Amino acid sequence: MTTTVHAGLAATVTGGVGASPSRPDGRLKVTGEFAFSSDLWADDMLWGATLRSPHPRARITGLDLAPALRIPGVYAVLTHEDVPGRRLYGLEHVDQPVLAADEIRYQGEPIVVVAADHPETARRAVQAIGITYEVLDPVTDPEAALDDARAPRVHADRPNLLRHVPIRRGDPHATAAVVVTGEYEVGMQDQAFLGPESGLAVPAEDGGVDLYIATQWLHVDQQQVAACLGLPADKVRLTLAGVGGAFGAREDLSMQVHACLLALHTGRPVKMVYGREESFFGHVHRHPARLRYEHGADEHGRLVYVKARILLDGGAYASSSGAVVANAATLGIGPYDVPNVVMDAYGLYTNNPPCGAMRGFGAVQACFAYESQMDKLAEALGLDPVEVRVRNALHTGDRMPTGQVVEGPAPVAELLRLVQAKPPAGQADFPPGGTANTTRGEGVVRGVGYGIGIKNVCFSEGFDDYATARVRLELIAGRPAVLVHTAAAEVGQGLVTVQAQIVRTELGVDQVTIAPADTAVGSAGSSSASRQTYMTGGAVRAACQAIRAHLLSRLEGRAPSHRPTYRKGTLPSPEAAGAAVTGSGAAGATAQDGLRLADGRVVDEDGTVVADVAELLAEGAIEETVQWRHRPTYPLDPQTGQGDAHVQYAFAAHRATVDVDTELGLVKVVEIVTAQDVGKAVNPAAVTGQIQGGTAQGLGLALMEEIQVVDGKVRNPSFTDYLLPTIMDMPPMTVDVLELADPHSPYGLRGVGEPPTISSTPAVVAAIRAATGAALTRVPVRPEHIVGV
């Protein structure tokens, strides 16, 4: 794997921003010593288990709990009647029952929870519960669900249409010399994290509960759990436990309320750990999609218009489907300058498994379709597939279909040229060979394909998106040390390391401790939308800058001056970059009189030592808590979809080389080249890891990953039958990283985690098309799609 990093913003501080210090959890995870949420333990602990529906749509007609209660070692058997507070929860819409009352809306819906003194006893109690159903015909076709006049309603009190986002720009009746159309389909992908849902709930003496949980958003969990328990938020305290992967699936509640209910009911700690099959039913998935596109271009290949219709199957409950629909609509034309756009994106309720957040969040589905269309357009015009993309590439100052101006760098053409220019490497530099050990090369053909995608960063549409950081600078054993406390969830992306890097850069202190993430400090928002380095990084940075101002004021023997709220500046003034900051450390972030902190000292512009930080801290520790916001966004116009809805745009491009056995339909990806603009590589090693991991998930969607749902029932809820890329499937990768500073973000950075997943899928499929000539309108691509049977 080769990585190239282009021009950065600033000199690297040892262990600071721009360096790649070792992750504190790295060795522990490699050696198996890291404590994940499934490893939690407490004295006198009980085990929880869940009874789930085998049907996607049914009415509960009978429920007999007595057989379970008679089993020795069973301490609680609870139903919806035992929920003391609000019986529904949800991220965007409060529509999902804690436990089903009378109606089942998807296979695997929880109905009863049990606590027992042994996990096997809990499982036997679940199996002993007597339950009868009136099985109903499920609503499983999203197209049929859209017909509200004919389709049964999944929820009696609301239509099946969850959200419709129209985008209208320019002339809806525009015509063009060259027109290509296509219909595409994306299957249901699973986040497939290795650590299943798990946690430990401990009843407290104050009548509340302490929950240790693997999640992506501690405070939104706290709000929902407290409401369901009928408790004030301060009596529901959450601490982040070790997270074994997330990718969006931990944004929603799984067993949080259930474990707390059982703990409060029994007065004993309760641990719940899902098995792999239960995990497939216990979290949301990527939305399956049906997409119809029409692209019109002039004879030179310049796009005149795009018309599109996107149908997203949200499953039984809303989760974050509304935001996914908005992303699919607003990003659904791709990173291209198109004067005339007619786009309609729909999200539907069905009786299929609930869908919600997954890496790429609506942009993945759209990218497969619009990039397939760009290849069709290139073929119709007789143009190189990269050339047709370059001719239509977005540039800084162009407008998105929503009317929003692209203010930051938009190196779409540059990224495409970078991946195109890379010479083949590894196996791609040799003739096509055998695939899956089935041939010696006969019947094997090679193809090369390209893809480029666009993704928004942070939350959008006017959402009050912020992060809180509490930073304390003090003397420990006579040396300056820093404690950082946030509620930001470390889900494997390396955020713990990044926070320490920012502190070292801003305060020049080597000894940095990151406190466990919990709800004892203000919200940091979700570890999703590629936002945490941007948002929590921005909050930590602002708190450090406030501490620095306070510390330097001691040089003059005076108290810190009044610090009014300040708003963002623009690069190259990094101290002011970002957005509104509120709280005790709201301003005073600029180094005074050219002074800065380095290696535990205050130095001037010439590097002359002015004072030791330890001397200034003799007056006492300095602590600042900052609530940091990015620049504002605004809702979309409900009729036209116009509006400045997004904070930032990120771009990535891929070139894939594949060998295809045309007789058996087997595919081997032999090389992937990728280029991505990250604004600033805060941690280059972590950036490379994110790009590799995101590309792997995109390759998985292209070739193998799909939850098979037939009539609302999942047919492959196991890692035996749900296929994942392994090290044997991943090809050599070449990664080019651009650092083109965004004018509004801390250090000029861009979110990194999602763009690689978006453009890798269409690149792999385009390569298979180039090798075989097959249409390939659906992912994942199956052997029968290639050989035509």
Side-chain angles (χ1 to χ4, degrees):
M1 204 284 304
T2 303
T3 301
T4 303
V5 179
H6 294 269
L9 284 176
T12 299
V13 178
T14 302
V17 171
S20 296
S22 298
R23 290 177 53 155
D25 58 345
R27 180 179 294 274
L28 296 173
K29 287 179 176 176
V30 170
T31 59
E33 298 173 84
F34 185 83
F36 290 97
S37 57
S38 55
D39 297 315
L40 293 165
W41 196 270
D43 292 337
D44 207 28
M45 182 179 73
L46 299 176
W47 294 79
T50 310
L51 172 67
R52 296 178 179 273
S53 169
H55 308 292
R57 185 168 180 241
R59 291 192 182 91
I60 299 171
T61 57
L63 188 60
D64 184 5
L65 308 180
L69 289 166
R70 285 196 292 266
I71 296 176
V74 172
Y75 284 77
V77 181
L78 307 182
T79 71
H80 70 97
E81 295 179 346
D82 298 298
V83 179
R86 191 175 66 192
R87 296 183 179 183
L88 301 174
Y89 67 90
L91 283 175
E92 295 182 3
H93 300 275
V94 180
D95 64 350
Q96 187 160 357
V98 174
L99 295 166
D102 52 8
E103 186 172 357
I104 300 300
R105 295 187 177 90
Y106 73 97
Q107 183 195 21
E109 183 152 18
I111 303 168
V112 181
V113 289
V114 171
D117 58 7
H118 190 279
E120 184 57 39
T121 303
R123 286 191 287 268
R124 286 196 298 112
V126 165
Q127 295 167 358
I129 294 170
I131 186 167
T132 57
Y133 304 91
E134 177 191 354
V135 179
L136 305 172
D137 291 332
V139 179
T140 59
D141 183 350
E143 191 72 60
L146 189 58
D147 187 349
D148 197 52
R150 297 183 181 180
R153 288 192 172 188
V154 175
H155 296 263
D157 61 342
R158 66 194 69 186
N160 291 332
L161 177 60
L162 200 155
R163 189 178 185 189
H164 168 216
V165 176
I167 307 289
R168 302 290 184 267
R169 184 186 182 202
D171 180 5
H173 306 294
T175 59
V178 180
V179 176
V180 294
T181 62
E183 295 189 9
Y184 305 94
E185 190 172 349
V186 176
M188 182 184 291
Q189 188 180 19
D190 189 65
Q191 296 86 345
F193 43 62
L194 296 185
E197 292 82 352
S198 51
L200 176 69
V202 182
E205 292 182 358
D206 66 354
V209 63
D210 293 287
L211 177 63
Y212 302 86
I213 186 69
T215 182
Q216 290 179 239
W217 194 347
L218 286 163
H219 281 80
V220 83
D221 281 10
Q222 180 190 44
Q223 293 166 9
Q224 295 178 92
V225 173
C228 295
L229 297 178
L231 292 173
D234 62 359
K235 286 196 174 185
V236 179
R237 296 165 290 269
L238 275 68
T239 300
L240 186 70
V243 180
F247 314 113
R250 299 190 199 270
E251 270 207 327
D252 296 77
L253 297 183
S254 56
M255 39 62 63
Q256 285 92 324
V257 181
H258 300 159
C260 291
L261 280 174
L262 291 168
L264 291 172
H265 188 85
T266 62
R268 290 171 62 172
V270 173
K271 177 177 179 176
M272 297 190 78
V273 181
Y274 288 176
R276 181 57 58 190
E277 178 174 318
E278 186 172 17
S279 181
F280 271 92
F281 296 109
H283 64 253
V284 297
H285 314 288
R286 189 185 299 288
H287 292 73
R290 298 178 188 176
L291 311 98
R292 185 167 66 233
Y293 274 75
E294 179 180 313
H295 282 57
D298 64 22
E299 60 275 14
H300 304 294
R302 286 284 299 161
L303 286 167
V304 176
Y305 71 83
V306 174
K307 298 177 181 178
R309 179 180 185 266
I310 299 175
L311 209 61
L312 295 164
D313 184 349
Y317 298 105
S319 181
S320 54
S321 289
V324 173
V325 172
N327 274 9
T330 58
L331 307 173
I333 307 304
Y336 303 114
D337 182 18
V338 186
N340 306 295
V341 174
V342 177
M343 160 69 78
D344 290 283
Y346 303 89
L348 281 304
Y349 285 116
T350 67
N351 291 118
N352 291 320
C355 293
M358 184 174 174
R359 195 177 198 164
F361 206 78
V364 165
Q365 296 92 326
C367 187
F368 170 61
Y370 65 67
E371 286 298 88
S372 298
Q373 284 287 102
M374 294 303 284
D375 284 336
K376 271 192 176 183
L377 189 60
E379 183 179 6
L381 290 161
L383 290 174
D384 177 84
V386 170
E387 181 59 32
V388 77
R389 288 169 167 84
V390 169
R391 291 186 186 185
N392 292 284
L394 275 175
H395 297 88
T396 303
D398 287 345
R399 289 188 178 273
M400 294 290 290
T402 60
Q404 183 166 355
V405 175
V406 179
E407 296 183 17
V412 177
E414 184 177 356
L415 294 172
L416 285 162
R417 293 300 191 200
L418 275 171
V419 298
Q420 183 185 40
K422 287 290 180 183
Q427 188 175 339
D429 199 25
F430 295 93
T435 302
N437 295 322
T438 59
T439 77
R440 298 182 184 273
E442 62 274 15
V444 176
V445 293
R446 175 162 294 167
V448 177
Y450 296 87
I452 189 161
I454 182 173
K455 180 65 175 63
N456 64 311
V457 175
C458 298
F459 293 153
S460 303
E461 297 187 80
F463 185 87
D464 185 18
D465 191 8
Y466 66 88
T468 308
R470 181 180 300 148
V471 179
R472 180 180 178 85
L473 176 63
E474 60 188 336
L475 289 178
I476 296 180
R479 296 182 57 195
V482 174
L483 176 67
V484 180
H485 189 187
T486 76
E490 168 64 70
V491 296
Q493 79 277 45
L495 183 66
V496 171
T497 311
V498 165
Q499 291 178 72
Q501 289 179 255
I502 291 171
V503 171
R504 294 189 188 106
T505 295
E506 298 297 330
L507 296 180
V509 174
D510 288 333
Q511 186 175 336
V512 183
T513 301
I514 309 299
D518 57 33
T519 51
V521 67
S523 177
S526 176
S527 289
S528 62
S530 302
R531 64 178 291 282
Q532 278 295 12
T533 298
Y534 192 129
M535 296 302 299
T536 294
V540 170
R541 186 182 192 218
C544 288
Q545 291 167 340
I547 286 174
R548 186 173 67 207
H550 190 148
L551 185 76
L552 295 180
S553 72
R554 291 181 177 181
L555 283 170
E556 303 173 14
R558 56 181 174 81
S561 59
H562 176 65
R563 307 183 193 97
T565 298
Y566 74 91
R567 295 197 65 83
K568 65 178 178 64
T570 57
L571 291 176
S573 175
E575 289 81 12
V581 179
T582 58
S584 62
T590 304
Q592 298 173 1
D593 301 321
L595 301 178
R596 59 190 176 87
L597 306 182
D599 298 323
R601 296 177 175 89
V602 180
V603 298
D604 63 17
E605 293 175 337
D606 298 325
T608 303
V609 176
V610 175
D612 283 336
V613 171
E615 295 175 3
L616 298 176
L617 286 175
E619 297 180 28
I622 302 173
E623 181 176 293
E624 297 285 358
T625 301
V626 163
Q627 191 179 90
W628 194 88
R629 286 173 168 82
H630 56 62
R631 62 178 181 150
T633 60
Y634 302 94
L636 295 168
D637 182 280
Q639 276 72 49
T640 66
Q642 299 300 291
D644 290 353
H646 297 310
V647 178
Q648 184 189 63
Y649 296 105
F651 308 91
H654 281 80
R655 184 188 81 198
T657 303
V658 305
D659 285 351
V660 184
D661 184 325
T662 56
E663 294 181 359
L664 297 178
L666 300 176
V667 178
K668 179 176 179 61
V669 183
V670 297
E671 185 194 31
I672 287 180
V673 176
T674 181
Q676 184 169 333
D677 173 26
V678 304
K680 172 63 179 177
V682 176
N683 185 311
V687 165
T688 299
Q690 286 286 293
I691 292 172
Q692 289 177 301
T695 299
Q697 285 188 312
L699 182 150
L701 178 60
L703 295 178
M704 58 189 74
E705 291 190 49
E706 183 177 9
I707 297 177
Q708 301 286 335
V709 182
V710 178
D711 296 328
K713 292 188 175 183
V714 176
R715 298 302 191 190
N716 59 334
S718 75
F719 281 173
T720 300
D721 299 310
Y722 181 88
L723 303 182
L724 288 166
T726 69
I727 194 170
M728 299 298 292
D729 300 296
M730 287 304 297
M733 285 185 63
T734 300
V735 180
D736 266 330
V737 176
L738 299 186
E739 294 187 283
L740 305 176
D742 183 279
H744 302 293
S745 66
Y747 307 109
L749 65 85
R750 294 177 189 268
V752 173
E754 292 174 289
T757 306
I758 296 167
S759 50
S760 50
T761 298
V764 170
V765 177
I768 304 171
R769 285 198 202 100
T772 65
L776 304 181
T777 60
R778 188 186 192 281
V779 288
V781 175
R782 300 171 182 166
E784 59 265 31
H785 299 157
I786 296 171
V787 300
V789 296

